[in-house]
Amino acid sequence: MPQAVLVINKSGGLIYHRDFEEVEVEVEDRNKPSSNDLLILASTLHSTFAIASQLTPKAIQLQQQPLPNLVPYVPMIDPDNLVPRKKLGSFKGDDYFKEPFQNWNKSGIRSIKTDQFTVYIYQSLTGLKLVAMVSNRSDTINETVVNNLLRRIYCLYSDYVMKDPFYSLEMPIKSELFDTKLRNLVKQL
Amino acid sequence: MSSKSSGSAQLRSLKIMGEDVWKNRTEKVNAELFTLTYGSIVSQLCIDYQRDFQKVNKQLFSMGYNIGVRLIEDFLAKTALPRCENMVKTSEAISKCAFKIFLNMTPQVTNFSPEKDAFSLIIDENPLSDFVELPMDAMKQLWYSNILCGVLKGALQMVQLECDVWFISDVLKGDAHTELRIKLNKVLKDEIPIGED
């Protein structure tokens, strides 16, 4: 399960942040980043992403064949085995998609690995960035799984944020519905 | 040569993909509900603007634009299509995927300009204009389905294709076909998200 999910708009502003940290004793006294810190973190991530895509190794620049870019499909099984499954907004069936898909982010940062956790970035064709921070403690979660999760979050965004008449584009997301759906989705991982 | 054959294979798969997403990945509602809701919007606009149909056209366009800039996210989330490298690809994606998924129809793509930057969509079974007959005073000016132009303009703009979209003819006005024209003005290169090359 990811520790946190962030949504960054195309101009590099943080529009959504959610922590999924289990309540532990050690968390109590840890310095939580303020919303201002998170805003700075998001825009730094945005610009680092841009710089990274400018710094492509020469060998890859000269390569004729483009790098393989297809993300394999990973089904997400609900551990609580909810039968029948809840409806997925405007999406029919028991999953949002069921085939491998193209990763739009070809030369930007896809993941940052640290001692404690790994940051994964998924970028849409419209410039929206979805970021997941995953603790290294869970060894079943790799880039493919997270990319599958982030595309599902993008599906949620397209349903519960884009179809909200009270949401203005590029502004922070304050949708309870999106919140709950996201939480349920992340819990499945 | 090989690129040509793979290109046509991709176009065929676009069609299959559009049909698959529509069939298995999209919730359906009764099309009449949609048609009637749109009808009530247009008729209300005609009343609000005291039958000034130019204003109605403009309002429908801007409503469509606002829908399009949001609808593109839904389209991309459902299909995960890669970026279209030219307008021919774009036209196929619009007719075979986008129209199929949202309106369950496949308009015919014709009349490419020599530079391949403009094309027409022939919309034969327009679900917006079922049960519709334009009143005499609206015949000349009102583009009944003008919301479609706005949607296309808004959606294409969000994938950095700055286009003009307008109706050329409409069966409701007594023409043989409903024809919608899309012309690419320019690709907003600076605004393409970094990391795609």
Side-chain angles (χ1 to χ4, degrees):
Chain A
M1 187 165 135
Q3 290 181 309
V5 169
L6 283 80
V7 182
I8 303 172
N9 69 13
K10 62 178 167 198
S11 11
L14 183 73
I15 55 171
Y16 183 82
H17 166 256
R18 182 67 51 221
D19 256 318
F20 299 104
E21 193 78 63
E22 311 95 76
V23 189
E24 287 170 26
V25 198
E26 48 160 346
V27 182
E28 299 283 313
D29 54 3
R30 204 188 56 173
N31 287 324
K32 283 256 176 202
S34 71
S35 55
N36 217 3
D37 293 338
L38 284 164
L39 220 69
I40 296 166
L41 170 78
S43 49
T44 312
L45 214 55
H46 182 82
S47 30
T48 323
F49 184 95
I51 295 166
S53 82
Q54 302 291 311
L55 304 173
T56 314
K58 200 81 185 167
I60 297 172
Q61 283 178 24
L62 294 172
Q63 215 169 29
Q64 293 296 314
Q65 290 287 316
L67 289 166
N69 223 12
L70 219 57
V71 183
Y73 167 70
V74 180
M76 271 170 76
I77 307 299
D78 197 324
D80 301 331
N81 197 15
L82 295 169
V83 187
R85 298 274 308 234
K86 281 177 226 139
K87 267 190 58 169
L88 304 172
S90 73
F91 292 77
K92 199 183 151 191
D94 53 3
D95 205 347
Y96 292 98
F97 54 93
K98 278 197 170 152
E99 61 289 312
F101 58 95
Q102 203 92 34
N103 195 340
W104 287 310
N105 169 15
K106 287 173 188 157
S107 64
I109 298 177
R110 289 189 189 178
S111 63
I112 306 171
K113 229 182 169 69
T114 70
D115 290 344
Q116 305 291 320
F117 60 94
T118 310
V119 183
Y120 295 99
I121 306 180
Y122 174 90
Q123 183 177 247
S124 92
L125 209 59
T126 50
L128 186 86
K129 284 187 189 65
L130 300 167
V131 182
M133 301 194 177
V134 183
S135 157
N136 286 349
R137 276 173 293 170
S138 49
D139 48 356
T140 51
I141 301 179
N142 57 27
E143 188 172 346
T144 312
V145 175
V146 176
N147 268 319
N148 271 269
L149 172 78
L150 290 176
R151 181 169 166 206
R152 284 181 179 88
I153 296 177
Y154 185 46
C155 292
L156 284 181
Y157 171 85
S158 80
D159 258 1
Y160 295 102
V161 180
M162 284 296 113
K163 290 171 191 169
D164 175 4
F166 297 106
Y167 176 74
S168 32
L169 291 175
E170 310 269 288
M171 294 308 276
I173 300 166
K174 290 197 179 79
S175 159
E176 194 122 343
L177 213 49
F178 180 65
D179 238 28
T180 349
K181 300 278 171 182
L182 181 73
R183 201 176 284 276
N184 290 342
L185 183 72
V186 166
K187 257 194 227 154
Q188 290 177 25
L189 201 70
Chain B
M1 286 125 265
S2 63
S3 71
K4 211 172 193 177
S5 67
S6 77
S8 71
Q10 207 179 353
L11 291 189
R12 218 189 69 238
S13 70
L14 259 181
K15 187 168 192 273
I16 294 168
M17 197 253 255
E19 272 168 12
D20 176 56
V21 172
W22 174 75
K23 214 172 144 193
N24 305 318
R25 298 274 156 264
T26 317
E27 284 290 343
K28 316 288 187 301
V29 291
N30 192 328
E32 285 183 14
L33 176 69
F34 176 67
T35 308
L36 296 175
T37 310
Y38 183 67
S40 61
I41 290 173
V42 178
S43 79
Q44 187 61 47
L45 282 176
C46 289
I47 295 166
D48 289 353
Y49 287 110
Q50 284 145 1
R51 308 191 82 75
D52 182 339
F53 297 110
Q54 301 297 352
K55 278 190 185 153
V56 175
N57 286 340
K58 227 176 123 192
Q59 183 62 24
L60 282 173
F61 189 90
S62 86
M63 286 165 75
Y65 178 85
N66 290 327
I67 295 173
V69 294
R70 290 161 176 251
L71 200 64
I72 185 72
E73 305 279 6
D74 192 340
F75 177 69
L76 292 173
K78 282 200 168 84
T79 60
L81 275 178
R83 181 171 290 281
C84 297
E85 58 261 47
N86 54 43
M87 277 314 262
V88 179
K89 281 270 173 62
T90 310
S91 72
E92 299 289 336
I94 291 172
S95 76
K96 298 206 168 82
C97 288
F99 270 88
K100 181 70 191 174
I101 293 168
F102 295 116
L103 295 172
N104 185 22
M105 59 172 179
T106 313
Q108 200 188 326
V109 182
T110 50
N111 296 343
F112 263 103
S113 64
E115 300 85 29
K116 301 266 185 217
D117 63 346
F119 61 88
S120 292
L121 293 171
I122 306 289
I123 304 169
D124 279 331
E125 349 111 53
N126 183 357
L128 292 179
S129 58
D130 282 346
F131 325 121
V132 179
E133 205 175 324
L134 291 184
M136 285 304 275
D137 56 342
M139 275 291 249
K140 281 220 175 67
Q141 294 175 315
L142 179 68
W143 292 110
Y144 184 79
S145 309
N146 210 34
I147 201 162
L148 282 183
C149 297
V151 171
L152 284 164
K153 159 108 186 161
L156 289 168
Q157 189 176 308
M158 293 308 277
V159 287
Q160 294 82 37
L161 299 169
E162 169 71 44
C163 295
D164 279 337
V165 188
W166 70 97
F167 271 107
I168 287 182
S169 58
D170 192 339
V171 280
L172 291 181
K173 294 190 170 199
D175 300 311
H177 302 287
T178 302
E179 184 176 347
L180 194 154
R181 188 109 183 122
I182 300 179
K183 183 180 178 297
L184 176 72
N185 289 333
K186 70 167 182 240
V187 181
L188 304 166
K189 283 240 167 58
D190 299 340
E191 288 172 30
I192 289 182
I194 298 157
E196 274 187 32
D197 35 4

XYZ file of all heavy atoms in Angstrom, chain B residues 60-107:
376
model
N -23.635 27.543 -27.321
C -23.479 26.089 -27.435
C -22.011 25.731 -27.611
O -21.513 24.774 -27.023
C -24.290 25.565 -28.632
C -25.786 25.430 -28.423
C -26.463 25.065 -29.732
C -26.104 24.383 -27.372
N -21.323 26.544 -28.418
C -19.898 26.281 -28.658
C -19.112 26.374 -27.356
O -18.301 25.506 -27.049
C -19.353 27.271 -29.694
C -17.961 26.940 -30.163
C -17.768 26.117 -31.257
C -16.856 27.448 -29.506
C -16.488 25.801 -31.690
C -15.576 27.133 -29.931
C -15.392 26.314 -31.021
N -19.390 27.425 -26.588
C -18.590 27.578 -25.364
C -18.964 26.520 -24.328
O -18.111 26.075 -23.556
C -18.692 29.000 -24.817
O -19.812 29.116 -23.995
N -20.232 26.088 -24.319
C -20.595 24.978 -23.435
C -19.831 23.722 -23.831
O -19.298 22.994 -22.987
C -22.102 24.704 -23.496
C -22.951 25.731 -22.782
S -24.690 25.628 -23.236
C -25.186 24.196 -22.341
N -19.771 23.482 -25.126
C -19.048 22.325 -25.632
C -17.574 22.390 -25.291
O -16.975 21.391 -24.893
N -17.014 23.588 -25.418
C -15.587 23.763 -25.103
C -15.302 23.342 -23.669
O -14.361 22.601 -23.390
C -15.199 25.227 -25.328
C -13.757 25.530 -24.998
C -12.760 25.326 -25.935
C -13.407 26.010 -23.746
C -11.440 25.589 -25.639
C -12.082 26.273 -23.431
C -11.107 26.059 -24.387
O -9.805 26.314 -24.068
N -16.156 23.808 -22.765
C -15.963 23.461 -21.356
C -16.129 21.961 -21.110
O -15.492 21.412 -20.217
C -16.937 24.249 -20.478
C -16.586 25.709 -20.440
O -15.418 26.069 -20.497
N -17.587 26.567 -20.382
N -16.988 21.322 -21.882
C -17.118 19.866 -21.760
C -15.856 19.194 -22.290
O -15.288 18.309 -21.659
C -18.362 19.356 -22.528
C -19.642 19.902 -21.886
C -18.391 17.833 -22.557
C -20.905 19.599 -22.663
N -15.389 19.659 -23.453
C -14.255 19.030 -24.132
C -12.992 19.019 -23.307
O -12.306 18.000 -23.236
N -12.677 20.150 -22.643
C -11.427 20.208 -21.876
C -11.437 19.229 -20.703
O -10.381 18.861 -20.200
C -11.118 21.639 -21.368
C -10.847 22.575 -22.513
C -12.199 22.159 -20.482
N -12.604 18.801 -20.287
C -12.686 17.800 -19.213
C -12.843 16.393 -19.777
O -12.299 15.432 -19.243
C -13.874 18.110 -18.305
C -13.676 19.356 -17.464
C -15.007 19.875 -16.955
N -14.811 21.021 -16.073
C -15.006 20.983 -14.768
N -15.406 19.869 -14.197
N -14.808 22.054 -14.037
N -13.604 16.304 -20.873
C -13.906 14.987 -21.436
C -12.648 14.290 -21.948
O -12.567 13.062 -21.940
C -14.930 15.134 -22.566
C -15.698 13.875 -22.945
C -16.549 13.418 -21.782
C -16.571 14.129 -24.150
N -11.656 15.084 -22.363
C -10.427 14.485 -22.898
C -9.766 13.575 -21.865
O -9.221 12.532 -22.211
C -9.460 15.594 -23.403
C -8.217 14.999 -24.070
C -9.022 16.521 -22.275
C -8.450 14.378 -25.384
N -9.863 13.941 -20.589
C -9.245 13.106 -19.545
C -9.942 11.746 -19.488
O -9.289 10.717 -19.345
C -9.345 13.788 -18.173
C -8.774 15.185 -18.121
C -7.260 15.233 -17.974
O -6.617 14.167 -18.020
O -6.730 16.348 -17.818
N -11.254 11.770 -19.606
C -12.024 10.533 -19.602
C -11.614 9.664 -20.792
O -11.365 8.461 -20.657
C -13.518 10.883 -19.680
C -14.407 9.683 -19.392
O -13.913 8.552 -19.510
O -15.581 9.874 -19.066
N -11.502 10.304 -21.953
C -11.120 9.578 -23.166
C -9.747 8.932 -23.005
O -9.554 7.754 -23.311
C -11.136 10.540 -24.353
C -10.680 9.930 -25.649
C -11.448 8.976 -26.279
C -9.485 10.313 -26.225
C -11.030 8.403 -27.474
C -9.059 9.746 -27.410
C -9.827 8.788 -28.033
N -8.796 9.716 -22.499
C -7.435 9.195 -22.344
C -7.360 8.118 -21.270
O -6.632 7.135 -21.414
C -6.474 10.338 -22.012
C -6.243 11.344 -23.129
C -5.417 12.513 -22.629
C -5.548 10.687 -24.310
N -8.122 8.299 -20.184
C -8.108 7.288 -19.125
C -8.675 5.969 -19.653
O -8.197 4.894 -19.305
C -8.900 7.766 -17.920
N -9.697 6.064 -20.504
C -10.336 4.846 -21.009
C -9.492 4.166 -22.085
O -9.458 2.949 -22.160
C -11.716 5.174 -21.572
C -12.784 5.370 -20.489
C -14.179 5.201 -21.071
C -15.217 5.104 -19.977
N -15.665 6.407 -19.478
N -8.830 4.952 -22.941
C -8.148 4.342 -24.080
C -6.639 4.244 -23.902
O -6.026 3.341 -24.468
C -8.396 5.153 -25.363
O -7.884 6.473 -25.163
C -9.864 5.219 -25.695
N -6.017 5.179 -23.176
C -4.559 5.261 -23.035
C -3.867 5.278 -24.398
O -2.820 4.662 -24.585
C -4.011 4.129 -22.164
N -4.456 5.969 -25.359
C -3.866 6.070 -26.697
C -2.565 6.862 -26.661
O -2.458 7.816 -25.908
C -4.837 6.798 -27.629
C -5.940 6.021 -28.318
C -6.779 6.968 -29.147
C -5.351 4.949 -29.206
N -1.574 6.474 -27.469
C -0.373 7.305 -27.568
C -0.668 8.589 -28.350
O -1.719 8.710 -28.963
C 0.601 6.417 -28.340
C -0.240 5.457 -29.079
C -1.490 5.272 -28.283
N 0.261 9.542 -28.293
C 0.054 10.807 -29.010
C -0.049 10.554 -30.515
O 0.680 9.745 -31.066
C 1.221 11.755 -28.723
C 1.083 13.103 -29.391
C 2.129 14.069 -28.916
N 1.922 14.493 -27.536
C 1.040 15.421 -27.172
N 0.297 16.019 -28.073
N 0.902 15.740 -25.916
N -0.978 11.259 -31.173
C -1.127 11.147 -32.622
C -0.055 11.992 -33.285
O 0.065 13.181 -32.988
C -2.497 11.653 -33.060
S -3.858 10.698 -32.404
N 0.732 11.384 -34.193
C 1.828 12.159 -34.770
C 1.390 13.032 -35.934
O 2.116 13.928 -36.340
C 3.009 11.259 -35.159
C 2.689 10.167 -36.139
C 2.474 8.835 -35.412
O 1.755 8.801 -34.403
O 3.019 7.837 -35.868
N 0.223 12.772 -36.509
C -0.268 13.652 -37.580
C -1.796 13.707 -37.556
O -2.440 12.991 -36.796
C 0.233 13.170 -38.941
C -0.122 11.720 -39.187
O -1.241 11.289 -38.897
N 0.813 10.947 -39.699
N -2.336 14.573 -38.416
C -3.788 14.786 -38.390
C -4.547 13.581 -38.930
O -5.712 13.384 -38.600
C -4.153 16.051 -39.184
C -4.010 17.327 -38.400
S -4.721 17.260 -36.737
C -6.307 18.025 -36.988
N -3.896 12.768 -39.758
C -4.580 11.570 -40.274
C -4.885 10.633 -39.102
O -6.006 10.141 -38.951
C -3.699 10.862 -41.334
C -4.395 9.626 -41.850
C -3.375 11.815 -42.472
N -3.866 10.430 -38.271
C -4.047 9.607 -37.071
C -5.107 10.212 -36.157
O -5.965 9.514 -35.623
C -2.734 9.515 -36.298
C -1.744 8.532 -36.852
C -1.947 7.142 -36.234
C -1.074 6.113 -36.915
N 0.360 6.419 -36.750
N -5.023 11.542 -35.990
C -5.980 12.217 -35.125
C -7.406 11.983 -35.611
O -8.297 11.680 -34.820
C -5.685 13.728 -35.090
O -4.307 13.917 -34.818
C -6.513 14.429 -34.048
N -7.583 12.097 -36.954
C -8.929 11.927 -37.498
C -9.447 10.523 -37.233
O -10.628 10.330 -36.913
C -8.922 12.226 -38.999
O -8.268 11.182 -39.688
N -8.561 9.532 -37.347
C -8.981 8.152 -37.090
C -9.344 7.962 -35.615
O -10.326 7.298 -35.287
C -7.850 7.174 -37.457
C -7.431 7.214 -38.907
C -8.477 6.610 -39.829
O -9.275 5.787 -39.356
O -8.501 6.992 -41.014
N -8.517 8.543 -34.744
C -8.786 8.404 -33.312
C -10.125 9.050 -32.960
O -10.898 8.506 -32.172
C -7.661 9.033 -32.495
N -10.404 10.210 -33.575
C -11.667 10.896 -33.281
C -12.850 10.070 -33.764
O -13.795 9.794 -33.013
C -11.687 12.298 -33.927
C -10.677 13.221 -33.228
C -13.076 12.908 -33.864
C -10.500 14.550 -33.904
N -12.787 9.638 -35.040
C -13.972 8.981 -35.590
C -14.147 7.558 -35.044
O -15.250 7.159 -34.701
C -13.917 8.976 -37.120
O -13.015 8.001 -37.565
N -13.032 6.806 -34.965
C -13.177 5.390 -34.606
C -13.207 5.143 -33.109
O -13.780 4.151 -32.656
C -12.057 4.571 -35.236
C -12.096 4.618 -36.748
C -11.463 3.386 -37.349
C -11.744 3.274 -38.822
N -10.829 4.094 -39.638
N -12.542 6.004 -32.337
C -12.536 5.795 -30.884
C -13.460 6.765 -30.159
O -14.398 6.358 -29.497
C -11.133 5.941 -30.321
S -10.063 4.583 -30.742
N -13.185 8.072 -30.311
C -13.894 9.045 -29.486
C -15.399 9.041 -29.760
O -16.207 8.876 -28.841
C -13.317 10.436 -29.715
N -15.790 9.186 -31.031
C -17.225 9.194 -31.347
C -17.867 7.863 -30.992
O -19.010 7.816 -30.548
C -17.449 9.524 -32.832
C -17.590 10.995 -33.101
C -16.479 11.776 -33.343
C -18.841 11.595 -33.098
C -16.602 13.137 -33.581
C -18.978 12.955 -33.341
C -17.848 13.733 -33.578
N -17.108 6.768 -31.179
C -17.649 5.451 -30.866
C -17.942 5.329 -29.366
O -19.023 4.904 -28.960
C -16.641 4.377 -31.305
C -17.093 2.956 -31.065
C -18.222 2.582 -31.991
C -18.866 1.273 -31.579
N -20.053 0.982 -32.394
N -16.967 5.750 -28.542
C -17.115 5.556 -27.100
C -18.222 6.441 -26.532
O -19.049 5.990 -25.748
C -15.782 5.851 -26.378
C -14.743 4.802 -26.750
C -15.976 5.872 -24.866
C -13.333 5.152 -26.336
N -18.244 7.710 -26.943
C -19.175 8.628 -26.287
C -20.539 8.685 -26.958
O -21.542 8.940 -26.299
C -18.563 10.022 -26.194
C -17.350 10.059 -25.309
C -16.100 10.362 -25.815
C -17.455 9.755 -23.957
C -14.979 10.363 -24.991
C -16.348 9.755 -23.129
C -15.105 10.065 -23.650
N -20.599 8.509 -28.283
C -21.884 8.636 -28.969
C -22.291 7.370 -29.718
O -23.353 7.335 -30.338
C -21.834 9.812 -29.955
C -21.660 11.194 -29.322
C -21.439 12.227 -30.397
C -22.863 11.570 -28.478
N -21.446 6.328 -29.663
C -21.710 5.080 -30.376
C -22.002 5.298 -31.853
O -23.020 4.864 -32.377
C -22.858 4.315 -29.715
C -23.075 2.955 -30.352
O -22.173 2.402 -30.973
N -24.279 2.425 -30.212
N -21.138 6.026 -32.524
C -21.235 6.118 -33.986
C -19.836 6.332 -34.541
O -18.920 6.707 -33.813
C -22.151 7.257 -34.391
C -21.702 8.590 -33.891
S -22.724 9.838 -34.633
C -22.056 11.299 -33.911
N -19.682 6.065 -35.815
C -18.373 6.224 -36.445
C -18.523 7.127 -37.654
O -18.877 6.668 -38.736
C -17.810 4.855 -36.871
O -17.979 3.950 -35.779
C -16.357 4.945 -37.237
N -18.291 8.427 -37.490
C -18.420 9.320 -38.643
C -17.363 8.985 -39.689
O -16.287 8.483 -39.365
C -18.176 10.708 -38.065
C -18.056 10.568 -36.613
C -17.841 9.139 -36.284
